[in-house]
Amino acid sequence: MTDTLGFGLLGAGLVAPFHANSLKHSRGGRLVAVCDVDRQRAEKLAAQFGCKVAGRLEEMLEDPEIQVVNVITPNHLHHGAVIQCARAGRHVIVEKPPAMSLRETDAMIAACRAAKVKFACSVQCRVRRPIQAMKEAIAAGRFGKLLHVDAYMKWFRTTEYYHSDPWRSSRQSGAGVTVQHAFHYIDLVQYLAGPVAAVEARMTNLNHPSVKLEDTLLASLRYANGALGVVQASTALWPGTDVRIEVNGTDGTAIMVGEKMATWRFRDERPEDEAIRQLGSEKQATAAGGPADFGFADHQAVIQDLIDAVREGREVIIPASSVRPTVELVLAMYQSAARNEPVTLPIQDDPSIWK
Ligand SMILES: NC(=O)c1ccc[n+]([C@@H]2O[C@H](COP(=O)([O-])OP(=O)(O)OC[C@H]3O[C@@H](n4cnc5c(N)ncnc54)[C@H](O)[C@@H]3O)[C@@H](O)[C@H]2O)c1
C-alpha cells in the first residue's frame, strides 16, 4: 500500500483517457486498473497508462489498492455500478448524466451516503473560471435582478459518430442531444440560476435522418427566481461553434464563449473586472466539432478535488446530489417535448420518455 489514492476505471472508451490523464497529472492519485467488457480496449488503455486490467467490476472491488472507481460506461449502466461500488465501500466518480431517472439518481445518492463514501459527478464545466466568476457575481448581487440565463450549444457530430457504438443512437441507453451532449450546459444554467420552476421544450432531428433521436433541442425556462432562460442545443450544425453561456440582469451582463469570458459588464465596474475579462482561453477546444476535441484540465480539477476531499475529510465540490436538479430538468424537458406542453417542476419519473 502507498499513501496515494488508488483508482479503477470502469469503462475504457472515449472519455477514459481524460480520466487516466487526469490521474497521471494528479497530486496523490494513481491509476491502478481498468475494466471494460471489451477486453482489448482495456488492454490498450492499460498499456498506454501502465496499469492492470481487471476482467470484471467485482475484481476491482476486491482489490485493496483501489479506493475510488470512476464509472465511465454508457449512461444507462451507471446506476447499477455506482450502487455496487458504494456497497463495496469505494468512493465513486460518475460520468454525466449520473442516471436516467430520479429514482435511480436518488438510490445512488442514498447508497453512497449509507456507505459514507464520496460521490462526485463529472459535470466538469462548472469548474471553468468564467463560470465561477458568474456564480460569485450572482451570489454577490452584482447582476441586480436576474433577467435571463441562457445556454446555446451549436455543435456538430457526424452520422458515423452516432453509429460508432449501438448505445450512441439508442434512447434507452441515454443518447440524444439533450441528455447526452447538452447535459453539461443545462447543468450550468441550473447551477447558476436554478431551481427551474417550469420548462417548455421542443425536440427534433434536423440533420441525422438515419438516427432515431433528437439532434436538436429548443427549450424555454422560467426560473423560480423569476428570470427567464433559453436552452438551444444541437449536434446538427456544421462545423460546430463554441458554447455560449449568457447571464443578464438589471445591472450587468456576462457571456462565456467556449471556456473564455467574452463579455463582463457591470454598472458598478470594479478594479478586479479587467482581470476577470481575461479569464479562459479562446484557443482551448471545448468539443464543438468532435467528441474528443477538448482538453482534460476540467476533468483533472474534479478528480484532484476528490483526492483532496478524501484526504481532508470534506465534501467534494461537485457532489452528485448537486446534479439531481439537472437530471430533473432534463427529464422535464423530455416530458414536455413528449406531451407537447409546458411542464412545471418538481416532476415524477415517466419511463415512457425513453421508449
Ligand atoms: N464529461 C464529459 O465531458 C464526457 C465526455 C464524453 C463522454 N462522457 C460520458 O462518459 C460515459 C462514457 O462515454 P464514452 O463516450 O466514453 O463511451 P464509449 O462507448 O466510448 O465507452 C464506454 C465503454 O464502456 C464499456 N462498457 C460497457 N458496458 C460495460 C460494463 N458493464 N462494464 C465495463 N465496461 C463496459 C464499453 O465497452 C466502452 O468501451 C458516458 O456516460 C458519457 O456521457 C462524458
Side-chain angles (χ1 to χ4, degrees):
M1 292 285 281
T2 66
D3 62 355
T4 56
L5 208 57
F7 283 69
L9 303 188
L10 184 70
L14 184 143
V15 85
F18 293 81
H19 288 254
N21 267 315
S22 297
L23 285 165
K24 189 173 162 185
H25 293 87
S26 71
R27 285 170 278 103
R30 76 192 168 99
L31 180 55
V32 175
V34 57
C35 169
D36 197 296
V37 286
D38 182 336
R39 193 170 176 97
Q40 277 186 337
R41 282 194 193 174
E43 280 170 358
K44 193 171 162 208
L45 197 83
Q48 198 183 342
F49 287 93
C51 70
K52 300 186 271 196
V53 171
R56 300 168 63 230
L57 173 58
E58 289 74 9
E59 227 177 277
M60 292 210 291
L61 298 179
E62 282 162 12
D63 188 335
E65 289 187 67
I66 295 179
Q67 288 90 40
V68 187
V69 177
N70 304 39
V71 175
I72 55 179
T73 49
N75 299 335
H76 64 302
L77 301 173
H78 295 171
H79 165 245
V82 169
I83 291 193
Q84 226 181 316
C85 294
R87 287 186 181 152
R90 298 315 198 269
H91 306 290
V92 187
I93 298 182
V94 69
E95 266 299 349
K96 47 49 65 173
M100 304 274 295
S101 67
L102 293 173
R103 184 186 58 78
E104 288 181 351
T105 304
D106 290 341
M108 290 155 59
I109 293 168
C112 289
R113 279 204 183 126
K116 297 190 167 49
V117 295
K118 313 277 178 218
F119 183 21
C121 180
S122 298
V123 282
Q124 75 276 1
C125 300
R126 282 192 198 179
V127 307
R128 289 184 189 164
R129 293 174 69 199
I131 295 296
Q132 286 305 314
M134 289 175 178
K135 180 87 175 156
E136 283 164 25
I138 289 171
R142 288 197 71 193
F143 287 95
K145 181 174 163 36
L146 272 189
L147 300 177
H148 242 278
V149 179
D150 314 309
Y152 300 96
M153 190 199 95
K154 295 191 171 187
W155 279 9
F156 182 69
R157 292 292 181 271
T158 62
T159 297
E160 292 71 37
Y161 159 82
Y162 280 104
H163 292 309
S164 64
D165 200 298
W167 85 268
R168 292 199 192 284
S169 55
S170 154
R171 187 172 292 290
Q172 289 82 357
S173 306
V177 71
T178 312
V179 65
Q180 175 62 353
H181 307 89
F183 192 91
H184 283 298
Y185 311 109
I186 297 168
D187 180 68
L188 288 185
V189 295
Q190 149 62 40
Y191 174 64
L192 290 170
V196 170
V199 60
E200 185 164 11
R202 295 288 176 269
M203 298 178 187
T204 189
N205 185 315
L206 285 180
N207 202 11
H208 298 92
S210 64
V211 179
K212 300 296 169 227
L213 295 170
E214 89 284 5
D215 68 3
T216 300
L217 159 75
L218 293 175
S220 63
L221 313 180
R222 184 167 52 77
Y223 298 95
N225 60 26
L228 302 178
V230 170
V231 176
Q232 179 284 331
S234 182
T235 55
L237 306 175
W238 185 88
T241 48
D242 278 331
V243 163
R244 297 167 65 87
I245 301 294
E246 307 196 351
V247 180
N248 309 97
T250 47
D251 296 333
T253 283
I255 302 175
M256 180 181 78
V257 178
E259 55 126 46
K260 168 97 183 99
M261 190 70 90
T263 301
W264 184 257
R265 293 277 311 276
F266 290 93
R267 291 186 196 273
D268 72 328
E269 172 81 9
R270 292 182 185 175
E272 65 268 28
D273 287 338
E274 195 43 45
I276 295 174
R277 285 188 193 100
Q278 307 310 318
L279 289 177
S281 159
E282 60 211 358
K283 295 202 180 99
Q284 175 63 60
T286 51
D293 184 20
F294 63 103
F296 65 87
D298 295 343
H299 270 101
Q300 195 184 343
V302 173
I303 288 173
Q304 185 64 54
D305 172 67
L306 183 126
I307 296 166
D308 296 343
V310 171
R311 293 264 174 274
E312 294 161 16
R314 60 164 170 82
E315 180 56 291
V316 293
I317 49 171
I318 311 182
S321 55
S322 75
V323 187
R324 186 196 191 275
T326 309
V327 174
E328 185 171 23
L329 178 53
V330 164
L331 296 174
M333 287 178 178
Y334 280 101
Q335 292 185 8
S336 169
R339 296 173 197 161
N340 204 16
E341 62 184 26
V343 165
T344 54
L345 287 80
I347 58 161
Q348 303 294 318
D349 280 327
D350 176 358
S352 73
I353 59 174
W354 302 124
K355 299 263 158 62

